[in-house]
C-alpha cells in the first residue's frame, strides 16, 4: 500500500517529504486521501507539468479543509476527521427517497414553521452565528484567461425548501432544435451520401455568402485555362508532402482536385494545420499549370454576435457521473444547496436567487460498460438505479429552476450523434420531476431569448488527438475552431460515432449566444466574438481511464452566467 501511494505522487511529479509521507500513512484512508490531494493540487494550484515538493504543512492544510467540509456535510456531527467524500461510499447504502417532497428533512422544516415565502430572508441568507467560525475567507483567483473563480463560502443557513412551492416564475423557454424524434437513418450507403450532401449544402450556403465566394466554380468546370480558382469543397484528405508542404485533396459534387499549401506561406500553412478530414471549406488558389497553389482558406466562421440583455442567471454543469465511485456527491449536494439559497455568502446567494435555468450537457450518470474495467469504479451497477439516484439529487433543486438535460456518451441514449434525449424507459424517476426538459445532443434552446447550443463534446476527442496545438485542457480552442468550421464533429468514422441521418444536425446553422459543452471534464470559458463558450467541467474525480490519457479534471466548479457576466463557483 505505502509503495503504491508513493508511486501515485511520483507519477504526477510530486515529491513527498518524509514528514508528509508519514502523516498521510497515519490517516484512515491514505490512498483515497492521496488521490484527492493530487487532484486538488493538479487541478487548482499547479499545472500538470509543475514539479511540486509536498511538505507536512500542505498535508495539514488539506486535512483542515476536509474537516471543515466534513462538519458542514454532517450537520452537528463534527467527529469524523475526513471529508465526507470518503464517507460517501458508506453512505451509498443508505436508503434513497425518490420523491424529495416526502423526505424527512422537508417535513421537519415545515414543522418548524419556517416561512419559505420570505423572499427577504432568503436573499439575506439568514446565517446562523456559528457559521462565521467556519467561513473560509480566501477567494481563489484564476491564473488564466478564465477570469475569477470564486470559492463558495462555507456558510449554511436554515434550509429553505423552495421546491415545495408552486413556481410562479415566468419562463420564456423554447426548444429550437431537438433531434430526438428525427432519426431516420437505416444505415444504408445511400444514407451516407445524402448525409454528406446535406452537410455540403448547408455549409456551402453559409460560405457562398462570403464576398470572395459569391462567385465560385464547380470543380469539374476548372480547366487548364482557369487561372484563379475559387471553390467550396469537402476535405477528402490532407497530408504532408516529402518537402513538408501540405497537400489538400478536396472534392465537391462534381469532382476532386489537389491543392498545395506552400510551407513558406506561414499564415496559410498554420491555418492548414488545423484542417481536418471531412470539413467543408472555401479555397482560393492559383493555377500554375502543373500545380495548384492555395492562396486562402476560408472557414464559414463566426460573425460578431450582439450582446443580449439577460436579467437572470443560468447555471451550467455536465459530467456529474452519478453512480461512479469517483462522483463527488458532497460537492454536488453543496451545489444544490447553493441553488436553493442555503449555501454561500450573501452575494453568492443573491446569484442563486436569480437562477432561472440549469443546463446539464450530458454524462449525468456513469452508465455501464462505457470503457474497459469501468465496473470496478461503479458504486451503482444498474443504469435505472443510477437515474433514480440522479432524480433524488436533482429533485432537491427548487422547482422554479428549469433544468434542461441532454445526453452524453455515458447516458442511456444511442451512442451515435445526434443522440436522442435520454429515454424515459431508463430514467422514469427523472421524468417524474416536472421541472426537467429532456433534449437531444446536440440540442438548441432559447432561454428567454438567449439562444443556447448544448453539445456534450465527444467530437472534441478527435480534434484533441489529431490537430496540432489542440488539447482537452485548452478546450476553448477546440470550441472556437469548431464554431469557425460550423460543425460540432466534422471527422467521420474515427472516435466519434456519427449517425448518417438525411440531415446533418451537427452543422452549426446559426451562431448561438451561448455554446455550452462538457465531456472533457475541464472547465474553460472564453467569449469569442460575443459567443459565451463554456465547458462546464465535472463532478467526478480522475478515473483510471483518464489517468491513461493524462486528463486532470477540474472538479466541482460550476459556471454561471449572471446577467451576462461569467462567474465560476467552486464547491470543493
Ligand atoms: O470522458 C472523460 C474524459 O476522457 C474526457 O476528458 C475525454 C476523455 N476521453 C473519453 N473518451 C476518449 C477517447 N476515446 N479518446 C481520448 N480521450 C477520451 P467521459 O466521456 O466522461 O468518459
Ligand atoms: Fe464525462
Ligand atoms: Zn463524456
Amino acid at each position: 500500500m505505502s509503495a503504491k501511494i508513493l508511486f501515485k505522487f511520483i507519477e504526477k511529479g510530486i515529491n513527498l517529504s518524509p514528514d508528509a509521507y508519514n502523516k498521510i500513512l497515519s490517516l484512515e484512508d491514505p490512498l483515497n486521501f492521496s488521490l484527492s490531494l493530487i487532484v486538488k493540487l493538479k487541478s487548482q494550484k499547479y499545472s500538470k507539468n509543475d514539479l511540486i515538493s509536498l511538505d507536512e504543512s500542505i498535508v495539514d492544510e488539506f486535512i483542515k479543509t476536509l474537516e471543515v467540509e466534513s462538519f458542514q456535510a454532517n450537520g452537528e456531527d463534527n467527529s469524523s476527521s475526513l471529508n465526507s467524500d470518503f464517507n460517501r461510499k458508506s453512505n451509498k447504502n443508505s436508503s434513497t427517497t425518490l420523491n424529495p417532497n416526502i423526505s424527512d428533512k422537508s417535513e421537519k422544516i415545515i414543522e418548524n414553521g419556517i416561512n419559505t415565502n420570505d423572499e427577504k430572508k432568503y436573499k439575506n441568507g439568514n446565517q446562523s452565528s456559528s457559521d462565521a467560525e467556519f467561513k473560509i475567507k480566501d477567494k481563489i483567483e484564476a491564473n488564466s484567461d478564465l477570469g475569477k473563480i470564486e470559492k463558495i463560502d462555507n456558510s449554511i443557513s436554515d434550509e429553505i425548501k423552495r421546491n415545495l412551492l408552486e413556481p410562479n416564475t415566468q419562463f420564456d423557454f423554447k426548444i429550437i432544435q431537438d433531434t430526438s424524434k428525427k432519426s431516420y437513418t437505416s444505415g444504408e450507403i445511400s444514407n451516407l451520401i445524402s448525409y454528406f450532401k446535406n452537410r455540403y449544402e448547408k455549409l456551402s450556403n453559409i460560405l457562398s455568402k462570403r464576398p470572395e465566394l459569391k462567385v465560385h466554380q464547380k470543380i469539374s468546370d476548372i480547366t487548364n485555362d482557369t487561372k484563379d480558382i475559387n471553390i467550396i469543397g469537402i476535405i477528402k484528405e490532407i497530408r504532408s508532402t516529402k518537402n513538408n508542404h501540405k497537400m489538400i485533396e478536396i472534392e465537391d459534387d462534381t469532382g476532386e482536385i489537389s491543392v498545395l499549401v506552400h510551407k513558406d506561406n506561414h499564415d496559410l500553412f498554420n491555418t492548414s494545420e488545423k484542417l481536418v478530414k471531412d470539413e467543408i471549406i472555401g479555397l482560393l488558389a492559383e493555377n500554375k499549370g502543373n500545380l495548384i497553389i492555395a492562396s486562402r482558406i476560408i472557414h464559414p466562421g463566426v460573425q460578431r454576435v450582439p450582446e443580449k440583455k439577460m436579467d437572470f442567471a443560468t447555471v451550467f454543469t455536465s459530467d456529474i457521473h452519478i453512480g461512479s465511485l469517483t462522483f463527488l456527491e458532497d460537492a454536488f449536494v453543496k451545489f444544490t444547496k447553493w441553488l436553493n439559497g442555503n449555501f454561500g455568502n450573501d452575494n453568492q446567494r443573491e446569484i442563486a436567487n436569480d437562477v432561472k435555468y440549469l443546463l446539464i450537457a450530458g454524462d449525468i450518470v456513469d452508465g455501464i460498460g462505457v470503457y474497459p474495467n469501468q465496473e470496478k469504479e461503479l458504486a451503482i451497477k444498474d443504469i435505472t438505479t443510477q437515474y433514480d439516484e440522479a432524480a433524488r439529487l436533482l429533485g432537491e433543486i427548487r422547482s422554479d429552476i428549469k433544468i434542461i438535460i441532454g445526453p452524453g456518451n455515458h447516458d442511456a441514449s444511442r451512442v451515435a450523434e445526434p443522440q436522442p434525449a435520454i429515454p424515459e424507459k431508463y430514467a422514469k424517476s427523472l421524468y417524474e420531476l416536472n421541472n426537467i426538459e429532456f433534449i437531444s445532443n446536440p440540442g438548441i434552446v432559447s432561454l428567454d431569448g438567449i439562444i443556447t447550443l448544448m453539445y456534450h463534446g465527444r467530437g472534441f476527442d478527435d480534434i484533441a488527438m489529431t490537430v496540432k496545438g489542440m488539447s482537452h485542457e485548452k478546450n476553448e480552442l477546440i470550441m472556437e475552431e469548431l464554431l469557425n468550421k460550423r460543425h460540432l464533429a466534422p471527422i467521420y468514422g474515427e472516435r466519434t460515432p456519427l449517425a448518417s441521418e438525411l440531415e446533418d444536425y451537427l452543422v452549426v446553422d446559426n451562431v448561438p449566444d451561448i455554446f455550452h459543452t462538457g465531456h472533457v471534464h475541464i472547465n474553460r470559458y472564453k467569449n469569442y466574438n460575443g459567443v459565451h463558450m463554456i465547458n462546464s467541467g465535472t463532478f467526478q474525480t480522475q478515473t483510471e481511464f483518464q489517468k491513461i490519457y493524462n486528463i486532470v479534471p477540474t472538479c466541482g466548479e460550476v459556471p454561471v452566467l449572471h446577467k451576462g457576466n461569467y462567474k465560476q463557483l467552486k464547491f470543493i
Side-chain angles (χ1 to χ4, degrees), residues 1-34:
M1 166 64 97
S2 48
K4 194 171 172 187
I5 287 172
L6 258 184
F7 192 65
K8 293 266 175 226
F9 282 98
I10 291 165
E11 231 178 8
K12 298 291 171 194
I14 302 172
N15 191 19
L16 279 185
S17 75
D19 283 342
Y21 179 60
N22 288 333
K23 183 77 167 231
I24 290 172
L25 281 193
S26 71
L27 297 170
E28 213 173 276
D29 188 349
L31 183 60
N32 254 337
F33 178 89
S34 303

Side-chain angles (χ1 to χ4, degrees), residues 258-486:
S258 294
V259 179
L260 185 111
V261 180
H262 201 285
K263 65 178 178 209
D264 293 341
N265 190 345
H266 297 293
D267 286 349
L268 193 70
F269 191 82
N270 287 344
T271 308
S272 76
E273 290 207 292
K274 292 192 190 128
L275 293 176
V276 296
K277 197 169 82 65
D278 304 325
E279 75 166 299
I280 288 162
I281 56 165
L283 197 59
L284 309 190
E286 217 181 312
N287 192 350
K288 304 263 191 192
N290 56 345
L291 214 55
I292 296 170
I293 310 286
S295 56
R296 266 193 76 186
I297 292 163
I298 302 172
H299 283 112
V302 174
Q303 285 195 330
R304 176 154 277 281
V305 176
E307 197 177 332
K308 286 184 187 154
K309 200 174 149 13
M310 182 183 182
D311 61 1
F312 55 94
T314 300
V315 174
F316 305 85
T317 189
S318 60
D319 300 274
I320 311 172
H321 290 270
I322 293 162
S324 164
L325 284 167
T326 47
F327 162 50
L328 291 165
E329 182 172 337
D330 292 332
F332 194 76
V333 167
K334 276 187 197 170
F335 164 58
T336 58
K337 282 188 176 182
W338 166 73
L339 282 173
N340 288 349
N342 297 326
F343 210 84
N345 62 26
D346 288 356
N347 184 31
Q348 291 163 344
R349 279 167 222 246
E350 291 256 2
I351 299 171
N353 195 38
D354 288 334
V355 174
K356 274 180 89 171
Y357 297 101
L358 165 63
L359 270 58
I360 310 182
D363 287 0
I364 292 98
V365 297
D366 206 50
I368 317 279
V370 181
Y371 56 83
N373 292 324
Q374 185 200 7
E375 64 283 357
K376 289 187 190 150
E377 294 181 87
L378 283 180
I380 305 172
K381 295 192 165 74
D382 172 82
I383 189 84
T384 303
T385 318
Q386 289 182 359
Y387 282 114
D388 289 347
E389 180 66 357
R392 184 183 71 82
L393 291 161
L394 294 177
E396 289 292 327
I397 297 170
R398 58 188 165 94
S399 55
D400 51 355
I401 290 179
K402 197 176 271 303
I403 305 174
I404 298 117
I405 300 182
N409 51 309
H410 283 252
D411 286 294
S413 180
R414 85 166 173 200
V415 289
E417 295 175 3
Q419 293 184 278
I422 295 166
E424 189 172 355
K425 181 165 102 175
Y426 298 108
K428 230 176 173 31
S429 41
L430 263 186
Y431 273 77
E432 277 163 16
L433 299 175
N434 55 15
N435 56 338
I436 300 189
E437 305 275 347
F438 295 88
I439 61 163
S440 59
N441 169 44
I444 304 172
V445 290
S446 169
L447 313 172
D448 294 26
I450 311 286
I451 307 299
T452 304
L453 166 61
M454 192 159 84
Y455 174 54
H456 178 62
R458 190 153 189 201
F460 295 5
D461 294 338
D462 283 315
I463 305 290
M465 297 292 166
T466 56
V467 179
K468 198 175 154 195
M470 297 280 170
S471 64
H472 283 105
E473 198 179 347
K474 291 191 176 161
N475 60 72
E476 77 280 18
L477 300 179
I478 301 182
M479 290 193 270
E480 188 177 314
E481 195 60 30
L482 293 176
L483 281 185
N484 272 326
K485 294 182 193 310
R486 293 284 200 98

Side-chain angles (χ1 to χ4, degrees), residues 109-348:
I109 289 161
I110 294 165
E111 272 169 25
N112 289 344
I114 292 171
N115 180 2
T116 51
N117 274 325
D118 191 340
E119 196 65 23
K120 195 157 158 270
K121 188 162 142 193
Y122 170 73
K123 274 197 164 172
N124 291 338
N126 193 31
Q127 291 169 23
S128 66
S129 58
S130 63
D131 290 335
E133 290 166 40
F134 296 95
K135 226 176 200 173
I136 292 179
K137 291 201 178 68
D138 61 321
K139 290 202 169 161
I140 294 173
E141 297 287 333
N143 55 2
S144 67
D145 52 339
L146 300 181
K148 204 158 119 182
I149 298 174
E150 198 176 337
K151 175 130 187 160
I152 198 95
D153 253 352
N154 279 312
S155 44
I156 307 173
S157 70
D158 294 340
E159 297 243 337
I160 299 166
K161 197 88 180 178
R162 293 222 321 201
N163 62 349
L164 293 180
L165 305 176
E166 268 301 305
N168 52 14
T169 312
Q170 295 293 314
F171 294 100
D172 179 13
F173 171 77
K174 291 187 194 85
I175 293 177
I176 311 282
Q177 189 193 77
D178 178 3
T179 62
S180 300
K181 295 187 178 73
K182 287 186 182 158
S183 179
Y184 305 115
T185 183
S186 60
E188 310 237 331
I189 190 78
S190 59
N191 276 3
L192 197 60
I193 294 164
S194 323
Y195 171 76
F196 277 111
K197 242 185 154 151
N198 181 262
R199 180 188 291 199
Y200 180 80
E201 266 162 29
K202 280 184 169 200
L203 288 163
S204 75
N205 272 341
I206 298 172
L207 280 162
S208 58
K209 293 199 178 80
R210 301 285 290 262
E212 311 89 324
L213 292 165
K214 270 207 170 106
V215 180
H216 60 269
Q217 301 115 343
K218 284 288 174 192
I219 290 177
S220 62
D221 292 338
I222 296 169
T223 66
N224 287 343
D225 299 332
T226 319
K227 218 175 153 0
D228 293 317
I229 293 175
N230 299 26
I231 49 171
I232 295 174
I234 180 163
I235 297 179
K236 204 176 157 201
E237 207 191 313
I238 174 149
R239 60 189 156 81
S240 295
T241 68
K242 61 176 188 299
N243 294 321
N244 292 324
H245 306 298
K246 284 260 186 271
M247 186 63 83
I248 307 172
E249 281 178 34
I250 186 164
E251 66 177 317
D252 66 9
D253 47 351
T254 66
E256 63 178 84
I257 184 175
S258 294
V259 179
L260 185 111
V261 180
H262 201 285
K263 65 178 178 209
D264 293 341
N265 190 345
H266 297 293
D267 286 349
L268 193 70
F269 191 82
N270 287 344
T271 308
S272 76
E273 290 207 292
K274 292 192 190 128
L275 293 176
V276 296
K277 197 169 82 65
D278 304 325
E279 75 166 299
I280 288 162
I281 56 165
L283 197 59
L284 309 190
E286 217 181 312
N287 192 350
K288 304 263 191 192
N290 56 345
L291 214 55
I292 296 170
I293 310 286
S295 56
R296 266 193 76 186
I297 292 163
I298 302 172
H299 283 112
V302 174
Q303 285 195 330
R304 176 154 277 281
V305 176
E307 197 177 332
K308 286 184 187 154
K309 200 174 149 13
M310 182 183 182
D311 61 1
F312 55 94
T314 300
V315 174
F316 305 85
T317 189
S318 60
D319 300 274
I320 311 172
H321 290 270
I322 293 162
S324 164
L325 284 167
T326 47
F327 162 50
L328 291 165
E329 182 172 337
D330 292 332
F332 194 76
V333 167
K334 276 187 197 170
F335 164 58
T336 58
K337 282 188 176 182
W338 166 73
L339 282 173
N340 288 349
N342 297 326
F343 210 84
N345 62 26
D346 288 356
N347 184 31
Q348 291 163 344

